[in-house]
Amino acid sequence: PGLGALPVDIPEPVYLNSETKPAASVRVPRAGVISAGRLRRHAVLARRAREVDALTAYLTDNGASHIHAAFADVPGLLSAKAARSAGIGYSISIHAHDVLVPKFDDGFLFGDAEFIAACNTFARDALVQRRPELQSRVRLIPHGIILADWPLRKSTFRAHDPLRFLSLGRLVPKKGMDTGIRLIAHLNRCGIDCTLEIVGEGPESERLAGIAGDEGVGDKVCRHEVVSRDRIPALMAEAD
């Protein structure tokens, strides 16, 4: 109420009971139902309509000819909508969870994209397998690094005793930190003395500490909070 018409195309209803269908002109999707991804797309666009309007205005006012979204998630959805509204091109990057467990319908996200950048072959192949018609527009572009910021070890590598493993990242399920803890436990049970240093924060913190305790390696696994980027090369140099 008070917002006026929202700038989204709400789909026509699908009547599962033909007796209640009001007119023959009602458009029914080919599958006979509206997909969850499509419904979620309309809901998110309605809720974030002001953001889409602001982005569209920014693109238009600044004479943009293209917009790139870093993820095939909400950023991709808002960019695809704004690009269509502004009449410009757009592209999207895909990584992992955003394409393996998609929130929105592929047709809207990728249908008009000029290209789709995949940072790894697994994500690329997953999307192409699901939507073969997109193959010609998917480009494999691995993440690069500035080599000068990550100097190679000058001395001959000699493993520490015990072995030092390092894992950096957000403490969320998809990062698989629990697998690293179980690996450390397995190696120690096999007689290979080793430790794991986890650097990161997230909702999995308590669960991971519990796994380390259950696996009997609570003293072999230590966790540090997020560190600045300039400290990471040193941490990596100290690990095996």
Side-chain angles (χ1 to χ4, degrees), residues 73-95:
D73 202 324
V74 174
L77 178 66
L78 301 187
S79 297
K81 177 63 177 179
R84 287 178 170 92
S85 299
I88 65 173
Y90 74 95
S91 53
I92 298 179
S93 289
I94 58 175
H95 304 268

Side-chain angles (χ1 to χ4, degrees), residues 132-237:
E133 71 276 13
L134 298 175
Q135 183 170 8
S136 63
R137 283 183 280 155
V138 179
R139 301 287 184 268
L140 179 62
I141 307 177
H143 294 301
I145 61 172
I146 300 175
L147 293 177
D149 292 347
W150 306 91
L152 296 176
R153 193 192 309 262
K154 295 181 179 179
S155 59
T156 302
F157 172 73
R158 291 184 177 86
H160 293 90
D161 185 15
L163 282 171
R164 299 176 183 175
F165 287 83
L166 173 69
S167 183
L168 302 99
R170 290 182 296 129
L171 306 187
V172 293
K174 69 178 182 179
K175 295 297 184 179
M177 298 292 186
D178 54 337
T179 302
I181 294 173
R182 293 187 175 95
L183 170 64
I184 295 299
H186 177 73
L187 291 175
N188 276 279
R189 285 194 294 267
C190 292
I192 302 175
D193 194 12
C194 56
T195 63
L196 171 63
E197 184 174 4
I198 297 176
V199 179
E201 296 177 342
E204 289 275 279
S205 178
E206 291 186 8
R207 190 178 80 88
L208 294 173
I211 293 174
D214 294 342
E215 293 284 349
V217 289
D219 60 333
K220 300 286 187 180
V221 177
C222 64
R223 186 182 74 83
H224 299 286
E225 296 182 351
V226 174
V227 300
S228 60
R229 182 180 180 276
D230 57 1
R231 281 201 58 201
I232 295 177
L235 289 173
M236 295 179 68

Side-chain angles (χ1 to χ4, degrees), residues 52 55-56 59-60 64-68 76-91 108 112-113:
V52 173
L55 180 56
T56 301
L59 295 171
T60 302
S65 60
H66 188 95
I67 182 173
H68 181 79
L77 178 66
L78 301 187
S79 297
K81 177 63 177 179
R84 287 178 170 92
S85 299
I88 65 173
Y90 74 95
S91 53
F108 188 87
D112 293 329

